[in-house]
Structures are given as C-alpha cells and as structure tokens.
C-alpha cells in the first residue's frame, strides 16, 4: 500500500497546489475587486492592498505551477506577516484572534516551497523541455578519441 501511495504523491501534491493556489487567488481577487461579495481595499494602502496583490498574483502562479517555489515563498512570508502583525496582537492562539486562515495559508505555502509543483504544473513542462534539450545537445557533442 505504501508503494501505491508513494507513486501517487506527485499527483496529490499537484492537486493540493491547485486547490491552495485557487483559494489564495480568490482571496486576493475578493480584496482587490470585490468579487464573491467582498469589500475592496483602497489601492496602495499598507498592508491590505499589497497583501491582496500578493494573494492574487502568488495564488495564480501557484495554481498554474509556474515559479511555484518562489511564489510560495513570498506568499508564505506575507501570511506570516499577516498573522503576526494583524492577528497575533489580538490574542495568542489563532482560534482566538481569527488568524486560522493566515496560519494555514502560511504553512501550506511553506510546504510547497519544499515539495515544488508536483504533477500538472507548468514548472514540470519546462523542466522536461530543458532536460530534453540538454540530452540532444549532449548527443551532438563530438567525442574526442
């Protein structure tokens, strides 16, 4: 059973990345454009507007699996900042200060920094392409006798 689960790991990580990226991007779209019945933040305000831009752009990149590790690194940092600057001063525990979302997004994005995009990501297509080009270049290199 462990072998089957291990073989499915890239697909599970890919689906995890897609769901987390979609939810994160929706949160940013909600704050920036008022989609899904949300209230918009005023352009250029600190930290709300900048957080919303990071959420929308970072979530979209994570969703697509494009620059996943870098986007997840920035998104994780933004959520850590959000938790410690906005939520934690109100109370110590996330359940008390309504910081569960920030904490979960922080740790979910942190995980993606180390796992990468998994299956179904654009990163994986670029990796396969560059790997294939590297092989063809190596095949054409003459061998000295």
């Amino acid at each position: 059973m462990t072998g089957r689960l291990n073989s499915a790991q890239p697909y599970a990580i890919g689906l995890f990345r897609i769901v987390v990226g979609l939810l994160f991007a929706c949160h940013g779209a909600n704050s920036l454009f008022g989609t899904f019945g949300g209230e918009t933040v005023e352009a250029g305000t600190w930290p709300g507007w900048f957080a919303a831009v990071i959420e929308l752009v970072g979530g979209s990149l994570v969703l697509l699996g494009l620059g996943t590790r870098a986007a997840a690194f920035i998104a994780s940092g933004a959520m850590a900042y959000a938790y410690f600057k906005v939520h934690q001063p109100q109370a110590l525990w996330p359940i008390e200060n309504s910081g569960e979302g920030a904490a979960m997004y922080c740790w979910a994005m942190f995980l993606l920094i180390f796992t990468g995009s998994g299956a179904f990501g654009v990163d994986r297509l670029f990796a396969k392409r560059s790997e294939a080009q590297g092989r063809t270049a190596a095949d054409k290199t003459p061998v000295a006798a």
Side-chain angles (χ1 to χ4, degrees):
M1 181 156 164
T2 303
R4 282 188 179 175
L5 291 174
N6 287 343
S7 67
Q9 187 174 4
Y11 303 103
I13 291 170
L15 291 173
F16 175 79
R17 173 189 49 78
I18 290 167
V19 169
V20 168
L22 176 64
L23 294 174
F24 202 62
C26 286
H27 198 271
N30 187 27
S31 298
L32 286 175
F33 309 119
T35 55
F36 313 111
E39 294 182 23
T40 60
V41 291
E42 191 175 329
T45 58
W46 178 260
W49 184 81
F50 290 95
V53 170
I54 289 171
E55 290 165 0
L56 180 62
V57 174
S60 298
L61 289 172
V62 167
L63 170 66
L64 294 172
L66 180 62
T68 303
R69 291 175 188 236
F73 179 78
I74 293 168
S76 179
M79 290 297 100
Y81 179 87
Y83 181 76
F84 286 110
K85 283 296 196 180
V86 177
H87 298 284
Q88 198 275 328
Q90 297 172 13
L92 178 62
W93 297 101
I95 195 74
E96 295 175 318
N97 62 29
S98 301
E100 300 100 330
M104 286 298 294
Y105 279 125
C106 177
W107 286 104
M109 293 296 184
F110 189 74
L111 177 65
L112 289 172
I113 294 168
F114 293 96
T115 61
S117 62
F120 317 120
V122 176
D123 286 344
R124 198 163 224 178
L125 292 175
F126 288 143
K128 285 181 183 178
R129 228 181 244 171
S130 64
E131 191 176 292
Q133 288 174 349
R135 283 188 201 146
T136 18
D139 294 342
K140 292 180 181 178
T141 308
V143 178

